[in-house]
């Protein structure tokens, strides 16, 4: 599957930059293209300069809202981010038009953090713009939710996230939710290592996008997972998971592949990887709420067998029993077996619901505060009524 990737704001741009790196890896290691165009859109000029992989010309690193922000961002005011996107959105459309291999793209992936200003406001507006112009291609969002410490220290974090998610959900074909906090659960040092988190967010896309682009027979599985399967799976609220098991690099001659012990070890490793994918989903959710699901098993050809694929299917069927499940196998890497799981068309996401609930009370607080300020201002104005003025 080939994507046009567009990042908005600091978070979105850095992750889009990571996708650009992923494409270079696919080209170098596998001779495959998975990204037809990668763009970074921001109101902050310094952030755009800090990227490393996306081409550095003005049609790939796109500065918007220059007049309004003088290149310094919108300071978490996502209403301003949305307004700027409405005014400058054409710059992005013009840039997409220059993508040489645009016609080969299967879908758009727009990326942003929900808690900031630029990305949070721009992503729903640009999703709508792009959908109106390119009706034949799905437009997906990947939205990054804030760390817990951001939610507790800054009220605007939750409010921004709620507006961003509600707006995006009304226009995007699917929203892949990624919770920053999930990535620091096991390794707290990651809180300060966004680059590492970005690499982890993007990693599952490597095999997922490559699998359907292979042309060499030895890399085509018994059931090839292609763009059609992915497009059929991605609908509405979506989460992804990724798990990996190491395998011995070399098999000794006496470890015959028909040995029953070896076969049970393979199955065990496969289940272990899927277990990890499910427990490390990009956002905590209940798999029973998914109406669609997909899994892709990538492993050396000789480690894969139909039993293993079936076992993985049975496992997923048990935990996501309401879902239509698609699957694929991808004969590839030496020494590792990995499993990617997508749960989509989720009919409930607790975290999103909580953002909505908390924001509803926040809106009332803002209104009350605004009224208090206005009444105080009125008081001081009233008191100054008889004082002469130089102006
Ligand atoms: N995973 C990840 N999250 C990030 C990154 N940069 C920022 N964030 C998160 O994104 C949110 C803030 O959004 P930003 O992208 O910095 O904001 P922005 O869109 O640039 O908007 P303004 O700076 O307000 O104009 C916070 O929740 C951060 O934790 C990143 O590189 N990776
Ligand atoms: Mg910024």
């Amino acid at each position: 599957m080939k994507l046009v990737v567009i990042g908005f704001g600091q978070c979105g741009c850095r992750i889009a930059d990571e996708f650009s790196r992923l494409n270079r890896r696919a080209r170098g290691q596998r001779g495959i293209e998975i990204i037809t165009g990668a763009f970074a859109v921001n109101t902050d000029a310094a952030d755009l300069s800090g990227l490393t992989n996306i081409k550095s010309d003005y049609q790939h690193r796109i500065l918007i809202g220059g007049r309004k922000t003088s290149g310094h961002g919108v300071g978490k005011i996502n209403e301003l981010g949305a307004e700027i996107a409405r005014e400058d959105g054409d710059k992005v459309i013009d840039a997409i038009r220059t993508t040489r291999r645009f016609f080969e793209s299967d879908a758009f992936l727009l990326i942003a953090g929900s808690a900031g200003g630029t990305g949070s406001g721009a992503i729903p507006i640009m999703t709508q713009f792009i959908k109106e112009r390119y009706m034949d291609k799905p437009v997906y969002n990947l939205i990054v939710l804030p760390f817990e410490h951001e939610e507790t220290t800054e009220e605007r974090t939750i409010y921004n996230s709620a507006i961003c998610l509600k707006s995006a959900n009304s226009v995007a074909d699917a929203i892949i939710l990624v919770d920053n906090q999930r990535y620091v659960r096991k390794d707290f040092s990651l809180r300060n290592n966004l680059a590492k988190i970005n690499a982890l967010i993007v990693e599952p896309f490597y095999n997922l996008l490559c699998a359907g682009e292979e042309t060499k027979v030895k890399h085509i599985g018994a059931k090839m997972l292609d763009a059609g399967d992915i497009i059929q799976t991605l609908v509405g609220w979506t989460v992804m998971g990724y798990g990996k098991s190491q395998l011995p690099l070399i098999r000794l001659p006496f470890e015959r592949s028909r040995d029953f012990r070896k076969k049970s070890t393979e199955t065990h490793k496969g289940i272990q990887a899927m277990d990890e994918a499910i427990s490390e989903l990009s956002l905590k959710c209940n798999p029973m709420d998914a109406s669609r699901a997909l899994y892709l098993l990538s492993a050396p050809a000789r480690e894969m067998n139909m039993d293993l694929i079936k076992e993985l299917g049975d496992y997923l069927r048990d935990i996501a029993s309401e879902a239509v499940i698609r699957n694929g196998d991808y004969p590839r890497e030496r020494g590792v077996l990995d499993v990617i799981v997508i749960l989509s068309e989720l009919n409930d996401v607790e975290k999103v619901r909580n953002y909505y609930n908390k924001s509803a009370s926040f809106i009332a607080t803002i209104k009350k505060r605004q009224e208090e300020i206005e009444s105080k201002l009125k008081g001081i104005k009233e008191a100054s009524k008889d004082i002469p003025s130089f102006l």
Side-chain angles (χ1 to χ4, degrees):
M1 183 176 199
K2 291 189 170 86
L3 298 176
V4 176
V5 172
I6 315 174
F8 297 90
Q10 173 183 292
C11 175
C13 289
R14 288 192 190 161
I15 296 174
D17 204 47
E18 204 53 46
F19 269 100
S20 184
R21 186 201 308 276
L22 206 66
N23 191 47
R24 199 164 296 169
R25 184 168 137 207
R27 198 189 297 147
Q29 292 180 348
R30 300 178 173 178
I32 291 174
E33 297 280 342
I34 49 176
I35 308 292
T36 47
F39 303 91
V41 182
N42 206 344
T43 53
D44 190 316
D47 278 348
L48 284 177
S49 312
L51 304 173
T52 47
N53 299 290
I54 292 180
K55 289 188 194 141
S56 60
D57 59 86
Y58 72 94
Q59 282 194 311
H60 288 87
R61 299 191 188 182
I62 305 165
L63 185 67
I64 54 168
R67 257 178 304 120
K68 283 207 163 84
T69 74
S70 318
H72 294 307
V74 299
K76 306 237 178 295
I77 311 297
N78 65 353
E79 291 87 349
L80 187 53
E83 194 182 313
I84 289 171
R86 249 182 236 114
E87 288 169 7
D88 277 359
D90 285 341
K91 280 192 186 176
V92 181
I93 303 286
D94 287 345
I96 294 170
R97 276 206 208 100
T98 66
T99 310
R100 248 187 324 126
R101 303 167 72 160
F102 178 71
F103 64 96
E104 289 177 21
S105 325
D106 297 296
F108 288 93
L109 181 66
L110 276 56
I111 310 168
S114 65
T118 304
S120 170
I123 194 169
I125 304 292
M126 286 311 306
T127 300
Q128 190 176 39
F129 259 46
I130 292 172
K131 274 203 79 69
E132 282 166 7
R133 277 166 183 76
Y134 303 102
M135 284 178 232
D136 58 332
K137 292 192 203 298
V139 184
Y140 302 124
N141 285 178
L142 188 157
I143 298 187
V144 176
L145 308 179
F147 294 102
E148 249 164 50
H149 70 92
E150 296 176 297
E151 293 180 5
T152 47
T153 51
E154 168 62 58
E155 284 171 319
R156 191 90 215 181
T157 301
I158 290 172
Y159 181 67
N160 280 1
S161 297
I163 310 183
C164 172
L165 291 167
K166 181 180 172 183
S167 316
N169 188 43
S170 67
V171 281
D173 290 288
I175 301 182
I176 302 168
L177 295 164
V178 172
D179 184 1
N180 265 342
Q181 192 62 28
R182 296 284 282 179
Y183 297 83
V184 293
R185 241 172 358 129
K186 286 206 300 197
D187 182 354
F188 205 69
S189 69
L190 279 182
R191 180 169 149 176
N192 299 314
N193 194 344
L194 291 172
K196 182 82 192 290
I197 294 183
N198 295 347
L200 291 172
I201 292 172
V202 165
E203 187 58 31
F205 287 89
Y206 190 51
N207 283 335
L208 185 69
L209 299 177
C210 284
E213 298 301 318
E214 291 284 359
T215 48
K216 293 194 191 83
V217 176
K218 66 174 178 174
H219 296 309
I220 295 178
K223 165 74 188 73
M224 184 178 184
L225 189 98
D226 61 15
D229 295 303
I230 300 173
I231 291 171
Q232 284 303 318
T233 303
L234 293 178
V235 176
W237 302 119
T238 301
V239 298
M240 286 177 80
Y242 177 71
K244 180 154 113 166
S245 289
Q246 297 296 331
L247 302 171
L249 264 179
I250 311 165
R251 287 234 180 261
L252 300 169
F254 57 80
E255 290 183 286
R256 288 200 314 267
S257 60
R258 297 175 65 82
D259 189 321
F260 75 93
R261 273 167 304 214
K262 180 179 162 280
K263 192 164 158 193
S264 97
T265 320
E266 280 162 4
T267 311
H268 178 73
K269 295 253 175 181
I271 294 291
Q272 196 184 324
M274 177 162 274
D275 212 24
E276 188 186 333
I278 298 287
S279 54
E280 300 296 324
L281 287 169
S282 56
L283 174 74
K284 192 170 154 239
C285 70
N286 183 355
M288 286 293 187
D289 293 328
S291 301
R292 298 170 195 239
L294 171 157
Y295 66 95
L296 173 68
L297 168 70
S298 313
R302 62 183 176 188
E303 307 287 342
M304 281 197 282
N305 55 59
M306 285 322 285
D307 285 355
L308 173 54
I309 295 166
K310 189 179 165 301
E311 289 259 357
L312 293 181
D314 291 346
Y315 183 104
L316 195 57
R317 157 90 29 245
D318 273 351
I319 58 161
S321 56
E322 303 296 314
V324 175
I325 300 177
R326 294 184 168 76
N327 72 315
D329 60 308
Y330 184 15
R332 196 71 237 205
E333 246 60 73
R334 284 174 65 207
V336 282
L337 172 156
D338 70 28
V339 174
I340 295 154
V341 174
I342 297 179
L343 298 176
S344 196
E345 208 175 8
L346 291 161
N347 51 40
D348 186 30
V349 183
E350 192 187 355
K351 184 131 187 146
V352 174
R353 196 158 29 83
N354 286 343
Y355 283 143
Y356 292 162
N357 285 333
K358 284 185 193 158
S359 296
S361 57
F362 182 58
I363 292 164
T365 316
I366 292 187
K367 217 167 163 188
K368 192 154 159 256
R369 227 179 271 163
Q370 201 64 36
E371 281 166 8
E372 277 167 17
I373 293 171
E374 273 163 23
S375 99
K376 277 187 186 162
L377 282 174
K378 221 190 242 163
I380 196 164
K381 202 170 164 199
E382 191 65 27
S384 73
K385 151 163 128 273
D386 298 327
I387 312 294
S389 162
F390 294 128
L391 297 166

